[in-house]
Amino acid sequence: MAKRILAIETSCDETAVAVVEDGRKVISQVVLSSMDIFKEYGGVVPEIASRKHVEYIIPCLKEALKQAGMGFEDMDAVGVTYGPGLVGALLTGVSCAKAISMAAGLPLVPVNHIEGHVCANYLTHEELKPPFICLIISGGHSHIVKVEGYSSYKLIGRTRDDAVGEVFDKVARCLGLEYPGGPNVEKLAVEGKPVYEFPRALKGQKDFDFSFSGLKTAVINKLHNMEQAGESYNPADVASSFQKNVCNVLSENAIRACNYCDLPVLAICGGVSCNGAIRDRFVKECKKNGIKLYLPDKKWCTDNAAMIGSAAYYHFIEGKTAGLDLNAQPALKLC
């Protein structure tokens, strides 16, 4: 019999509720974002984000159930992101999920937000099953993991400093682009050419870690030095050069990880996986190296509750539930 999960996601600046069946079928999905509010600040303001979640969570919940044509009695469990993320934002979702669990008598399933991104691929690719290698790239996370089972992960590599999405935002700011920086850098890069050479950290490495802080600093210093010297430059060329460097690092490390694990199946997820240049590079490099590539639909790449519902389903059928003492864990790790 089909299992339905009522899923809640409030880790950052998207308030989302979804109903997901058997971990793969999205029955309804509602997302209210406060991202536009943060353009004037150049990034997310945690206190404002938390207040918006409080404002949005009940309307999202009502609309998701309305779209599904269902009520709490039609659900088998309630799943919720409990970390990592902004603690105030997480607490909104966790508190709501605990209230539903207690009032409706539904099992409470805690979900790691990073794991949710991995499971976004299950919403697009019904045939995808573990084991596979997964590259997780978002505003706060850059990981390579081996997905050994539906709720079992082994860390292969991760960023030692900035996450790749964070670096996109910081470079965008120096180029005078609005937040969020990733989509705007990508759009600008299309108009330019990769004429600038930026250094790559950890070159010749034997492990699979990333380091993007040096690249960020190199781009910022290049811009400042040219401006101070009165040299003209094309911002689109800078964006294109920066983006090419990122593509090189991500694709090389991920493909080396596939070869190292003797597992020629690679999935990519997270908000940065929406980037067209990154997608094109992986399609090309995976084909060249005989690796089967899975890319989630772009609508499941950014934060959403459907991916949390998918992850929660696999925890639920394994009996992994929590009590009403569940708390937010802003620094939660995947593995």
Side-chain angles (χ1 to χ4, degrees), residues 30-48:
V30 178
V31 180
L32 287 179
S33 177
S34 55
M35 185 178 295
D36 287 345
I37 297 172
F38 302 122
K39 287 183 179 180
E40 64 178 294
Y41 301 103
V44 177
V45 180
E47 178 61 27
I48 297 175

Side-chain angles (χ1 to χ4, degrees), residues 24 122 128-132 147-150:
R24 305 269 177 165
Y122 301 143
L128 178 61
K129 298 177 181 179
F132 57 90
V147 183
E148 298 180 324
Y150 283 111

Side-chain angles (χ1 to χ4, degrees), residues 168 182-183 186-187 190 243 247 271-283 295 298:
F168 265 98
E186 178 188 1
K187 184 177 180 180
V190 173
Q243 185 171 259
C247 289
V272 181
S273 66
C274 288
N275 182 286
I278 291 174
R279 285 180 169 241
D280 290 345
R281 173 63 63 85
F282 272 95
V283 169
L295 292 165
K298 289 185 178 182

Side-chain angles (χ1 to χ4, degrees), residues 66 83 90 100 103 144 157 173 177 253 264 295 304 311 330 334:
K66 180 181 178 182
L90 291 166
I100 294 170
I144 301 176
R173 189 177 306 155
L177 303 175
N253 280 24
L295 292 165
N304 64 85
L334 177 63

Side-chain angles (χ1 to χ4, degrees), residues 282-293:
F282 272 95
V283 169
K284 177 182 177 181
E285 294 301 320
C286 285
K287 183 177 181 180
K288 183 191 301 184
N289 288 273
I291 294 171
K292 177 66 175 177
L293 176 65

Side-chain angles (χ1 to χ4, degrees), residues 170-171 174 198 215-225:
K170 290 176 178 177
V171 169
C174 286
F198 293 118
L215 171 60
K216 169 196 68 182
T217 302
V219 174
I220 293 172
N221 285 343
K222 181 71 172 178
L223 292 172
H224 287 170
N225 290 338

Side-chain angles (χ1 to χ4, degrees), residues 15 34 37-38 47-57:
T15 309
S34 55
I37 297 172
F38 302 122
E47 178 61 27
I48 297 175
S50 300
R51 292 180 182 183
K52 287 300 175 182
H53 285 308
V54 173
E55 179 183 339
Y56 293 161
I57 188 66

